[in-house]
């Protein structure tokens, strides 16, 4: 059986949107996500380094990773909003993957 | 432990900023003062933190510990101030409160002008720095209180009230200045909420409130934790602060000579102003020293959070390095004894 | 606090539930009792926590701090109880133990019947609530002990043993009732293991065991941490509890009026029962008050974990909001002084 | 400290390893010694931790708590040692220092030879174990100091200095032996940096430095946290250690009988050697006991980190299980009283 | 080179199964995963929000994220079990991605 | 709209490299990642279990998860290095996914 073969079980292909951003944005990002159509999210406290240097303590500012399973449409809407509202001044990275979700209807 | 405790002269009272510390003695000259400060366990712990970072030690405070210690310190200061307030006539408060407000309005404006005119900083960066230097650092305040205690120098019980009053206005003013001078800034209302509901004000004010309502009897019940343990906890906290400050020092080259000088000269100027205004407002020698230290200190808890939200264009490297890497260590090691010397000189000439 | 400390007669002994507290005095009327409780630093800290949540403060206790404080409180209560037990004749224990078991069996059954009959709750929800209200909240117990201490009211040293005995049976009984009344429930054996090996019982019982074996001399060695610091730590813990309870209040509208009333009336009923049975069993005024408080309290550590595993059909919003958002604050602010007043009245009429 | 406390002469000074403990009395026979140790709150807390793991309790110390407690313990030991050093003639130090170095060089070589020759361990595993057993466990050291305090047995103030001196050489020597005997090992320089800048040495040495510079007056200011609370915090820490050690016990079957025996016999041998050399070097009864315990202990903080980096081929199950699961509990429960008995016998025959 | 091109290095395509669930299920989920054929897992403590409301504290119940690299067969087995045993009453989300794993044989 | 359809918004397809390894390797792995061309990373503290047993406390050794969005070339370079330098003696797992990244140029 090929590793990437489809499953028998009923799953729906959706987008997993991952946003890593400075922690100060937590409330705002969550508000935006909900407003733009995400039905839920999972949040992890992380550290990181990128073009804006190391981000790992209270003062450097920690990072959060927000993950949300959304429809492609919602994904696109959120990405556009991020690009406009946060990319210029804040430490943010965002990317999408395809995921096969059980009970996928719940999340669209 | 009790109220009716017999000949208590030797016991340090647990809930007072007017310590009858058994260790107390008044050093006569400034060098001695400096030595006393530099060799205190608190300052030495700060130095150890710097060393730990410089040798790339794997010592790392869990973030939960740092947060817990800061919750403790702020609440404790509030509680003690509140218990003290409960026996203080409030009429004594209005003049120092006015002096504090004056400092909170004047210092950010002065900083901003200086940084724009001579430092050639952008509007955003100048306003961000002004917010930090106009506001107050709770830990520096705590260090000043502790130093006064070690010297046996009485300090007014309402000082934590003044900290809460000094923290806010400068940040708001600096953000307003920035709004006028640029477009596309972040949400001001969110930033203001961030300050008022920020944990430093909440814990200080909340502590004051609890201390005031439950009074000295209430404080007595929780003194082993909130009074007796205070300095020891401060040692742990300053160890962590040393590590944080030292990490900031790595960015020192990026901030330029002007900001480096600003981080030392501005505190001295604001410190003298604070001591002067405080003395005018009738504060004691110790009280004026502490108000001077408050004015001299640069916020690094409330201000960064508010500024990051309302002024994202400002470069955090600049304000964090200046406040944490330069001004905080300066005040801790040299500033506080200096403001005390100034206050002593002022009070000596006045009387 | 220094070396030259004078005659120490007045010092509060560090390891006793029979405090000779220098602050002690017996307030005469119930209003005064209430004022004393409401203005204690512990209750005020709880109020501050509520305020922090209501103003959306960014104050947040690290989870590690919350867990650490609860480990400390449970172990400390156990240690002190154990040291006390080591000098108590165990014959004094059996009557109060029987009374406790009776409470642990009767109260969940009563709650369940009430909630099914009049509240029209589902089997799962009624059983879940019965498990919570039949079991005991360690923090409420601790608050009662502390209030008795502040009043200088002696309490039997074996009370923590009773807490361990009251915690388990109600949960098991409620789960058994649910099994009978429905199918497809979770694993009962896992749930029971969850309770017995749960940290609250383990720390309480473990502390009793250590305190008992090492005795008062052993406790003396660790008294600065486990005795003297107790109330201060409790203040921190209740600050956090206030924040948690206030978050629960947001769900208040969802739980309906019946549950709201239940969360206030049931504790009063169970509290009276507890005070009564305790007095019958020969407990002192203070001991009966504490047993009443235990009966009146609703578990929110052991019960939720066990119920979530064994009764996943029950809606956690209901039991958490009732136990944490309604009954806990009620007991903390009004319940404890009320049960004390009842106990005083009972003991006065009896003698 | 108690109620019946007599004139304050008997108060334990807060910053001394020479305790005038009110609890002090010298038990005459070894059984009594053992009982005293086994029923101390510290050892009982360790046992409770073991029980918690065996019954699969959900009790879990947050990692932040574990880290915080270990920071506290190391710093505290350093501070007290440093304050003591500030009044000690340093000439007293060189002979015990030489004895310590001799132990640090001889014991890893002996362990390595034994494990290779008779245990048939691979080069990597033998060297890894040698590094652990040649180095020192700070917590075992602390337990020994605390036991001496409970017995009222004076201990030299410079012992923490010796801990810092004993920690490093054995690890370096063991790693060098491994290099000679195999290829493809990890970075030695990184491993050595790991040890020197490791938090245990940094905190111990840093504490010594702060304590020395700020002196007994400095320590007095922070005594409620760093002196009075020490044993209580140790109880919490040992509770966690018990849970960790018990988890290791699950791997016991994997390590084989030889290592099991090694984990008990080697400490006794090294302990006797340490007590002997210490006594020769002029250490007091208590000091020699503590040096013996240090030699007998196996590192489980500094050594594992360094070995994992420089000797990744070695199997961590072996060295962690031996050091944490076998030798640590053995020393805590039986070893320390045993080394004390030996030291007492040596000092009795000597005088 | 196209971003999604295959690698030269020898990798195996497998399924990365991600489960976000309330923390009270930790022991049970791990037991189930092992029983159904997973060779390992990685666990992260997270917070989240979904149809059952915010889950971020001790009492609301924290969440955990379990990730396991498994063969498609095992993935399907686990998903079916989750759907039956946990979806009705517990807060759970589960999804699959394709991942290229080095030393992939270790995990099947 | 099919869940796996491409987005309108301009994104670049890159590799998301995930490494789960024992925490003692943190500094070394980060150094290696940067040296081999990664422009940033996100680090999470995790626990886990695999062929080398449970890894969840201070002494068992915690794990870290390092995630880095990189070009396929860099991904391959890093994987080869891992296989050689760490796989033999350390607890490590590594895998790749395809992700669509906004502002993808930043990360190549
Ligand atoms: N190439 C990358 N791979 C993974 N995470 C990244 C990458 N670049 C940046 N990040 C994360 O995004 C945060 C902000 O990035 P930056 O704005 O580039 O400083 C960093 O702190 C990292 O946590
Ligand atoms: N759309 C989503 N994307 C990512 N995580 C989700 C999503 N929905 C739910 N979750 C996570 O799964 C948990 C349980 O979801 P629920 O059962 O819907 O409350 C939530 O607390 C989140 O951590
Ligand atoms: N199949 C797997 N799926 C997800 N993570 C894994 C898997 N196997 C191992 N891991 C992670 O990689 C670490 C090291 O694995 P190992 O070297 O197999 O012990 C483990 O502690 C887990 O965190
Ligand atoms: Na200022
Ligand atoms: Na009850
Ligand atoms: Na040793």
């Amino acid at each position: 059986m090929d590793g990437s073969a489809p499953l028998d079980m009923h799953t729906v292909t959706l987008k997993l949107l991952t946003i890593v951003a400075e922690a100060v944005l937590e409330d705002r990002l969550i508000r935006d996500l909900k407003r733009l159509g995400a039905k839920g999210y999972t949040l992890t406290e992380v550290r990181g380094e990128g073009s804006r240097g190391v981000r790992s303590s209270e003062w450097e500012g920690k990072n959060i990773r927000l993950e949300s399973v959304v429809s492609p449409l919602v994904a696109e809407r959120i990405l556009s909003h991020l690009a406009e509202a946060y990319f210029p001044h804040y430490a943010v990275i965002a990317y999408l993957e395809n995921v096969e979700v059980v009970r996928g209807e719940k999340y669209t | 432990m009790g109220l009716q405790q017999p000949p208590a002269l030797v016991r340090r009272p647990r809930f007072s900023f007017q310590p009858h510390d058994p260790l107390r003695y008044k050093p006569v000259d400034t060098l001695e003062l400096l030595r006393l400060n530099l060799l205190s366990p608190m300052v030495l712990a700060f130095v150890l933190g710097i060393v730990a970072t410089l040798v790339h030690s794997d010592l790392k405070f869990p973030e939960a510990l740092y947060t817990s210690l800061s919750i403790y310190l702020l609440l404790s200061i509030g509680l003690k101030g509140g218990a003290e307030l409960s026996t203080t006539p409030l009429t004594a408060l209005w003049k120092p409160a006015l002096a504090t407000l004056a400092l909170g309005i004047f210092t950010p404006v002065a900083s901003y002008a200086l940084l724009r005119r001579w430092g050639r900083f952008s509007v955003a960066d100048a306003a961000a720095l002004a917010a930090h230097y106009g506001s107050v650092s709770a830990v520096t305040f705590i260090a000043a209180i502790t130093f006064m205690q070690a010297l046996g120098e009485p300090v007014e019980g309402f000082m934590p009230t003044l900290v809460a009053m000094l923290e806010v206005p400068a940040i708001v003013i600096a953000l307003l200045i920035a709004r006028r001078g640029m477009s596309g800034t972040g949400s001001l209302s969110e930033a203001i909420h961030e300050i008022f509901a920020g944990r430093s004000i909440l814990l200080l004010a909340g502590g004051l409130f609890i201390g005031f309502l439950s009074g000295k009897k209430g404080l007595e019940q929780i003194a082993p934790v909130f009074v007796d343990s205070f300095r020891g906890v401060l040692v742990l906290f300053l160890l962590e602060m040393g590590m944080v400050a030292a990490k900031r020092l790595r960015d020192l080259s990026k901030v330029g000579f002007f900001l480096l000088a600003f981080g030392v000269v501005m505190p001295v100027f604001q410190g003298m102003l604070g001591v002067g205004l405080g003395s005018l407002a009738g504060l004691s020698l110790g009280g004026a020293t502490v108000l001077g230290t408050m004015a001299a200190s640069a916020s690094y808890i409330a201000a960064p959070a508010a500024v990051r939200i309302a002024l994202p264009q400002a470069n955090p490297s600049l304000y964090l390095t200046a406040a944490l890497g330069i001004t905080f260590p300066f005040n801790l090691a040299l500033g506080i004894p200096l403001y005390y010397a100034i206050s002593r000189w002022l009070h000596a000439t006045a009387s």
Side-chain angles (χ1 to χ4, degrees), chain B residues 23 39 41-42 44-45 48 52 55-59 61-62 64-65 228-229 231-232 235:
Chain B
L23 307 172
L39 294 188
M42 293 90 200
L44 290 172
L48 179 59
V55 303
H56 297 277
S57 168
D58 70 344
L59 175 64
F61 270 45
L65 176 58
D228 301 347
S229 302
R231 296 187 202 186
V235 159

PDB file of all heavy atoms in Angstrom, chain B residues 23 39 41-42 44-45 48 52 55-59 61-62 64-65 228-229 231-232 235:
ATOM      1  N   LEU B  23      20.161  46.069  61.673  1.00  0.00           N
ATOM      2  CA  LEU B  23      21.408  46.272  60.921  1.00  0.00           C
ATOM      3  C   LEU B  23      21.664  47.744  60.665  1.00  0.00           C
ATOM      4  O   LEU B  23      22.700  48.134  60.166  1.00  0.00           O
ATOM      5  CB  LEU B  23      21.309  45.588  59.567  1.00  0.00           C
ATOM      6  CG  LEU B  23      20.906  44.127  59.589  1.00  0.00           C
ATOM      7  CD1 LEU B  23      20.654  43.630  58.187  1.00  0.00           C
ATOM      8  CD2 LEU B  23      22.004  43.335  60.254  1.00  0.00           C
ATOM      9  N   LEU B  39      27.677  45.743  47.655  1.00  0.00           N
ATOM     10  CA  LEU B  39      27.920  44.461  48.309  1.00  0.00           C
ATOM     11  C   LEU B  39      26.664  43.883  48.956  1.00  0.00           C
ATOM     12  O   LEU B  39      26.749  42.921  49.711  1.00  0.00           O
ATOM     13  CB  LEU B  39      29.042  44.584  49.339  1.00  0.00           C
ATOM     14  CG  LEU B  39      30.406  44.896  48.740  1.00  0.00           C
ATOM     15  CD1 LEU B  39      31.495  44.813  49.789  1.00  0.00           C
ATOM     16  CD2 LEU B  39      30.738  43.952  47.588  1.00  0.00           C
ATOM     17  N   PRO B  41      23.378  41.577  49.025  1.00  0.00           N
ATOM     18  CA  PRO B  41      23.091  40.332  48.297  1.00  0.00           C
ATOM     19  C   PRO B  41      22.276  40.576  47.026  1.00  0.00           C
ATOM     20  O   PRO B  41      22.435  39.862  46.045  1.00  0.00           O
ATOM     21  CB  PRO B  41      22.273  39.514  49.305  1.00  0.00           C
ATOM     22  CG  PRO B  41      22.545  40.096  50.636  1.00  0.00           C
ATOM     23  CD  PRO B  41      22.914  41.535  50.423  1.00  0.00           C
ATOM     24  N   MET B  42      21.419  41.611  47.044  1.00  0.00           N
ATOM     25  CA  MET B  42      20.570  41.846  45.870  1.00  0.00           C
ATOM     26  C   MET B  42      21.409  42.235  44.651  1.00  0.00           C
ATOM     27  O   MET B  42      21.255  41.669  43.565  1.00  0.00           O
ATOM     28  CB  MET B  42      19.555  42.966  46.167  1.00  0.00           C
ATOM     29  CG  MET B  42      18.513  42.602  47.203  1.00  0.00           C
ATOM     30  SD  MET B  42      19.132  43.052  48.863  1.00  0.00           S
ATOM     31  CE  MET B  42      18.110  42.049  49.919  1.00  0.00           C
ATOM     32  N   LEU B  44      24.604  41.844  44.249  1.00  0.00           N
ATOM     33  CA  LEU B  44      25.523  40.759  43.892  1.00  0.00           C
ATOM     34  C   LEU B  44      24.798  39.658  43.107  1.00  0.00           C
ATOM     35  O   LEU B  44      25.369  39.063  42.187  1.00  0.00           O
ATOM     36  CB  LEU B  44      26.168  40.178  45.149  1.00  0.00           C
ATOM     37  CG  LEU B  44      27.181  41.106  45.831  1.00  0.00           C
ATOM     38  CD1 LEU B  44      27.619  40.529  47.178  1.00  0.00           C
ATOM     39  CD2 LEU B  44      28.403  41.347  44.948  1.00  0.00           C
ATOM     40  N   ALA B  45      23.553  39.403  43.459  1.00  0.00           N
ATOM     41  CA  ALA B  45      22.802  38.400  42.706  1.00  0.00           C
ATOM     42  C   ALA B  45      22.592  38.859  41.266  1.00  0.00           C
ATOM     43  O   ALA B  45      22.677  38.061  40.325  1.00  0.00           O
ATOM     44  CB  ALA B  45      21.449  38.143  43.372  1.00  0.00           C
ATOM     45  N   LEU B  48      25.716  38.159  39.510  1.00  0.00           N
ATOM     46  CA  LEU B  48      25.824  36.728  39.214  1.00  0.00           C
ATOM     47  C   LEU B  48      25.007  36.364  37.975  1.00  0.00           C
ATOM     48  O   LEU B  48      25.443  35.568  37.133  1.00  0.00           O
ATOM     49  CB  LEU B  48      25.347  35.901  40.415  1.00  0.00           C
ATOM     50  CG  LEU B  48      25.380  34.382  40.234  1.00  0.00           C
ATOM     51  CD1 LEU B  48      26.783  33.887  39.935  1.00  0.00           C
ATOM     52  CD2 LEU B  48      24.842  33.668  41.475  1.00  0.00           C
ATOM     53  N   ALA B  52      26.377  34.638  34.641  1.00  0.00           N
ATOM     54  CA  ALA B  52      25.795  33.405  34.111  1.00  0.00           C
ATOM     55  C   ALA B  52      25.562  33.515  32.610  1.00  0.00           C
ATOM     56  O   ALA B  52      25.842  32.586  31.850  1.00  0.00           O
ATOM     57  CB  ALA B  52      24.479  33.093  34.825  1.00  0.00           C
ATOM     58  N   VAL B  55      29.060  33.651  30.609  1.00  0.00           N
ATOM     59  CA  VAL B  55      29.763  32.367  30.430  1.00  0.00           C
ATOM     60  C   VAL B  55      28.864  31.331  29.741  1.00  0.00           C
ATOM     61  O   VAL B  55      29.199  30.164  29.697  1.00  0.00           O
ATOM     62  CB  VAL B  55      30.268  31.795  31.776  1.00  0.00           C
ATOM     63  CG1 VAL B  55      31.182  32.782  32.481  1.00  0.00           C
ATOM     64  CG2 VAL B  55      29.120  31.382  32.685  1.00  0.00           C
ATOM     65  N   HIS B  56      27.744  31.793  29.206  1.00  0.00           N
ATOM     66  CA  HIS B  56      26.812  30.887  28.511  1.00  0.00           C
ATOM     67  C   HIS B  56      26.405  29.719  29.384  1.00  0.00           C
ATOM     68  O   HIS B  56      26.385  28.571  28.934  1.00  0.00           O
ATOM     69  CB  HIS B  56      27.443  30.352  27.220  1.00  0.00           C
ATOM     70  CG  HIS B  56      27.752  31.412  26.225  1.00  0.00           C
ATOM     71  ND1 HIS B  56      26.818  31.913  25.371  1.00  0.00           N
ATOM     72  CD2 HIS B  56      28.895  32.094  25.985  1.00  0.00           C
ATOM     73  CE1 HIS B  56      27.371  32.843  24.618  1.00  0.00           C
ATOM     74  NE2 HIS B  56      28.619  32.981  24.977  1.00  0.00           N
ATOM     75  N   SER B  57      26.126  29.996  30.633  1.00  0.00           N
ATOM     76  CA  SER B  57      25.685  28.926  31.527  1.00  0.00           C
ATOM     77  C   SER B  57      24.335  28.374  31.073  1.00  0.00           C
ATOM     78  O   SER B  57      23.557  29.069  30.415  1.00  0.00           O
ATOM     79  CB  SER B  57      25.547  29.469  32.950  1.00  0.00           C
ATOM     80  OG  SER B  57      24.869  28.523  33.752  1.00  0.00           O
ATOM     81  N   ASP B  58      24.072  27.129  31.426  1.00  0.00           N
ATOM     82  CA  ASP B  58      22.760  26.569  31.112  1.00  0.00           C
ATOM     83  C   ASP B  58      21.738  26.915  32.204  1.00  0.00           C
ATOM     84  O   ASP B  58      20.610  26.445  32.154  1.00  0.00           O
ATOM     85  CB  ASP B  58      22.832  25.053  30.915  1.00  0.00           C
ATOM     86  CG  ASP B  58      23.106  24.329  32.219  1.00  0.00           C
ATOM     87  OD1 ASP B  58      23.540  24.983  33.190  1.00  0.00           O
ATOM     88  OD2 ASP B  58      22.917  23.110  32.276  1.00  0.00           O
ATOM     89  N   LEU B  59      22.161  27.741  33.166  1.00  0.00           N
ATOM     90  CA  LEU B  59      21.192  28.187  34.174  1.00  0.00           C
ATOM     91  C   LEU B  59      20.101  28.988  33.470  1.00  0.00           C
ATOM     92  O   LEU B  59      20.379  29.929  32.749  1.00  0.00           O
ATOM     93  CB  LEU B  59      21.878  29.084  35.210  1.00  0.00           C
ATOM     94  CG  LEU B  59      20.934  29.712  36.234  1.00  0.00           C
ATOM     95  CD1 LEU B  59      20.275  28.658  37.082  1.00  0.00           C
ATOM     96  CD2 LEU B  59      21.676  30.703  37.122  1.00  0.00           C
ATOM     97  N   PHE B  61      16.052  30.424  34.372  1.00  0.00           N
ATOM     98  CA  PHE B  61      14.878  30.430  35.229  1.00  0.00           C
ATOM     99  C   PHE B  61      13.674  29.986  34.412  1.00  0.00           C
ATOM    100  O   PHE B  61      13.446  30.511  33.320  1.00  0.00           O
ATOM    101  CB  PHE B  61      14.625  31.840  35.752  1.00  0.00           C
ATOM    102  CG  PHE B  61      15.313  32.124  37.043  1.00  0.00           C
ATOM    103  CD1 PHE B  61      16.639  31.765  37.237  1.00  0.00           C
ATOM    104  CD2 PHE B  61      14.648  32.762  38.085  1.00  0.00           C
ATOM    105  CE1 PHE B  61      17.281  32.033  38.433  1.00  0.00           C
ATOM    106  CE2 PHE B  61      15.277  33.041  39.285  1.00  0.00           C
ATOM    107  CZ  PHE B  61      16.596  32.678  39.456  1.00  0.00           C
ATOM    108  N   PRO B  62      12.888  29.048  34.941  1.00  0.00           N
ATOM    109  CA  PRO B  62      11.652  28.727  34.237  1.00  0.00           C
ATOM    110  C   PRO B  62      10.809  29.994  34.162  1.00  0.00           C
ATOM    111  O   PRO B  62      10.792  30.784  35.103  1.00  0.00           O
ATOM    112  CB  PRO B  62      10.963  27.704  35.145  1.00  0.00           C
ATOM    113  CG  PRO B  62      11.966  27.272  36.143  1.00  0.00           C
ATOM    114  CD  PRO B  62      13.023  28.314  36.208  1.00  0.00           C
ATOM    115  N   ALA B  64       7.772  30.279  34.448  1.00  0.00           N
ATOM    116  CA  ALA B  64       6.777  30.279  35.516  1.00  0.00           C
ATOM    117  C   ALA B  64       7.372  30.849  36.801  1.00  0.00           C
ATOM    118  O   ALA B  64       6.684  31.522  37.568  1.00  0.00           O
ATOM    119  CB  ALA B  64       6.267  28.863  35.767  1.00  0.00           C
ATOM    120  N   LEU B  65       8.640  30.605  37.055  1.00  0.00           N
ATOM    121  CA  LEU B  65       9.264  31.135  38.265  1.00  0.00           C
ATOM    122  C   LEU B  65       9.380  32.643  38.171  1.00  0.00           C
ATOM    123  O   LEU B  65       9.027  33.364  39.102  1.00  0.00           O
ATOM    124  CB  LEU B  65      10.650  30.511  38.463  1.00  0.00           C
ATOM    125  CG  LEU B  65      11.448  31.060  39.638  1.00  0.00           C
ATOM    126  CD1 LEU B  65      10.703  30.902  40.950  1.00  0.00           C
ATOM    127  CD2 LEU B  65      12.808  30.373  39.729  1.00  0.00           C
ATOM    128  N   ASP B 228       8.528  39.062  55.720  1.00  0.00           N
ATOM    129  CA  ASP B 228       9.840  38.512  56.079  1.00  0.00           C
ATOM    130  C   ASP B 228      10.609  37.970  54.880  1.00  0.00           C
ATOM    131  O   ASP B 228      11.833  38.019  54.843  1.00  0.00           O
ATOM    132  CB  ASP B 228       9.672  37.362  57.092  1.00  0.00           C
ATOM    133  CG  ASP B 228       8.978  37.840  58.344  1.00  0.00           C
ATOM    134  OD1 ASP B 228       8.857  39.065  58.523  1.00  0.00           O
ATOM    135  OD2 ASP B 228       8.544  36.992  59.144  1.00  0.00           O
ATOM    136  N   SER B 229       9.892  37.404  53.926  1.00  0.00           N
ATOM    137  CA  SER B 229      10.578  36.732  52.820  1.00  0.00           C
ATOM    138  C   SER B 229      10.920  37.679  51.682  1.00  0.00           C
ATOM    139  O   SER B 229      11.522  37.259  50.698  1.00  0.00           O
ATOM    140  CB  SER B 229       9.701  35.603  52.260  1.00  0.00           C
ATOM    141  OG  SER B 229       9.405  34.684  53.270  1.00  0.00           O
ATOM    142  N   ARG B 231      13.012  40.236  50.929  1.00  0.00           N
ATOM    143  CA  ARG B 231      14.353  40.461  50.382  1.00  0.00           C
ATOM    144  C   ARG B 231      14.951  39.204  49.763  1.00  0.00           C
ATOM    145  O   ARG B 231      15.667  39.267  48.770  1.00  0.00           O
ATOM    146  CB  ARG B 231      15.287  40.962  51.480  1.00  0.00           C
ATOM    147  CG  ARG B 231      14.878  42.299  52.036  1.00  0.00           C
ATOM    148  CD  ARG B 231      15.942  42.791  52.996  1.00  0.00           C
ATOM    149  NE  ARG B 231      15.392  43.766  53.934  1.00  0.00           N
ATOM    150  CZ  ARG B 231      16.126  44.435  54.801  1.00  0.00           C
ATOM    151  NH1 ARG B 231      17.429  44.224  54.863  1.00  0.00           N
ATOM    152  NH2 ARG B 231      15.567  45.297  55.623  1.00  0.00           N
ATOM    153  N   GLY B 232      14.669  38.070  50.374  1.00  0.00           N
ATOM    154  CA  GLY B 232      15.189  36.825  49.821  1.00  0.00           C
ATOM    155  C   GLY B 232      14.640  36.561  48.428  1.00  0.00           C
ATOM    156  O   GLY B 232      15.373  36.194  47.503  1.00  0.00           O
ATOM    157  N   VAL B 235      16.271  38.692  45.891  1.00  0.00           N
ATOM    158  CA  VAL B 235      17.570  38.184  45.456  1.00  0.00           C
ATOM    159  C   VAL B 235      17.396  37.221  44.274  1.00  0.00           C
ATOM    160  O   VAL B 235      18.099  37.314  43.268  1.00  0.00           O
ATOM    161  CB  VAL B 235      18.297  37.484  46.628  1.00  0.00           C
ATOM    162  CG1 VAL B 235      19.371  36.532  46.123  1.00  0.00           C
ATOM    163  CG2 VAL B 235      18.903  38.520  47.555  1.00  0.00           C
TER     164      VAL B 235
END
